[in-house]
Amino acid sequence: SIDPFRFESDALFVEFTNAGLDGLDIAIGRKQEIWGTGARFNPVSNINPLDVEDPLAFGDVLATEMISIRYSPYVWAGDEDEPWFEELSFQVVVVPYFKPAQLPGSAGIAFTDPAEQVRRATTPALKKMAGQQADYISQGATVVYDVGVKQPDLDVENVQVAARMAWKLGGIDMGFSYYRVFDDFPRAESAVVTGDSSDVLAELTLSYPRMQVFGVDMATSVPWLDGLGVWAEVAFHFHDD
């Protein structure tokens, strides 16, 4: 009686197949576009933001608004029954605006809990600052963190793009991909600290760094091992400064 009807849409898109050209497919809307060959772990797939709110749902992603254009020309080489080259495809995806990862409610402690900051300190400078803060608090002082998140502006320069080329060569599915996107996990961009010897206010600004990703993936089966499946994915991430 309180909530008798609800309509939820995790993903909703329209796809046009053979759109004016054989092998040309165009999808528009909120979509999950998973690239790579793994079942749940895809390091080369960086279009959709991750959904890490539920630790038991490893690998889940959020659908995001996009335009996906895929062209698969009919190309093959070798015998028609057993070609050694086939399934050539090209795909381009455009994401007009950024959507961050879905984080659990406890994610903020990474930036606001002094004990967590000590645990996460991985460099000598960070360890020194975390230790100084712990000494400061142990003497009765207080540190309050105010965390704000800045998302990329809705601008043409911030449009995310990705491209992939794939084919089957000698029974091996192979693919190369490129992404120009934003990391969907925020980082601490700046901090403004005010206060005195007993009370401190630390205003943190988090942002999502731009990154480029180059990916390579492959998958095949080994006939002389009863069709044992073999797959590999490698992603090279290049962040901004």
Side-chain angles (χ1 to χ4, degrees), residues 7 10 12 17 43 48 60 70 75 115 122-123 163-164 166 173 180 190 196 205 215 219 229 237 241:
F7 176 78
D10 293 330
L12 183 64
T17 59
N48 296 96
D60 278 3
R70 176 188 173 96
V75 177
T122 56
T123 67
R164 186 172 193 262
D173 291 304
R180 183 181 179 271
S190 63
D196 51 34
T205 300
H237 291 247
D241 58 358

Side-chain angles (χ1 to χ4, degrees), residues 88-145:
L88 178 65
S89 67
F90 305 89
Q91 187 173 4
V92 176
V93 173
V94 178
V95 180
Y97 65 88
F98 171 77
K99 180 184 290 187
Q102 180 67 45
L103 305 180
S106 60
I109 67 172
F111 300 99
T112 61
D113 186 352
E116 184 69 9
Q117 292 169 1
V118 171
R119 189 183 72 83
R120 291 171 55 87
T122 56
T123 67
L126 289 177
K127 291 179 179 179
K128 180 180 179 180
M129 287 190 290
Q132 290 173 339
Q133 178 178 245
D135 293 340
Y136 180 71
I137 294 175
S138 67
Q139 296 174 10
T142 60
V143 178
V144 177
Y145 286 92

Side-chain angles (χ1 to χ4, degrees), residues 2-134:
I2 296 176
D3 190 10
F5 179 81
R6 176 186 299 150
F7 176 78
E8 295 183 0
S9 169
D10 293 330
L12 183 64
F13 63 92
V14 177
E15 185 168 9
F16 304 93
T17 59
N18 296 322
L21 182 66
D22 287 345
L24 179 63
D25 301 330
I26 302 175
I28 303 174
R30 190 186 313 118
K31 192 174 186 292
Q32 293 181 350
E33 190 66 63
I34 308 298
W35 290 352
T37 52
R40 299 293 289 175
F41 180 59
N42 300 102
V44 304
S45 190
N46 294 273
I47 299 175
N48 296 96
L50 291 173
D51 183 354
V52 296
E53 187 175 24
D54 183 359
L56 300 180
F58 179 83
D60 278 3
V61 299
L62 301 172
T64 188
E65 284 67 18
M66 66 175 64
I67 301 173
S68 174
I69 303 174
R70 176 188 173 96
Y71 179 52
S72 304
Y74 182 69
V75 177
W76 60 275
D79 295 334
E80 189 170 356
D81 295 332
E82 295 184 1
W84 58 268
F85 179 83
E86 58 180 333
E87 299 182 13
L88 178 65
S89 67
F90 305 89
Q91 187 173 4
V92 176
V93 173
V94 178
V95 180
Y97 65 88
F98 171 77
K99 180 184 290 187
Q102 180 67 45
L103 305 180
S106 60
I109 67 172
F111 300 99
T112 61
D113 186 352
E116 184 69 9
Q117 292 169 1
V118 171
R119 189 183 72 83
R120 291 171 55 87
T122 56
T123 67
L126 289 177
K127 291 179 179 179
K128 180 180 179 180
M129 287 190 290
Q132 290 173 339
Q133 178 178 245

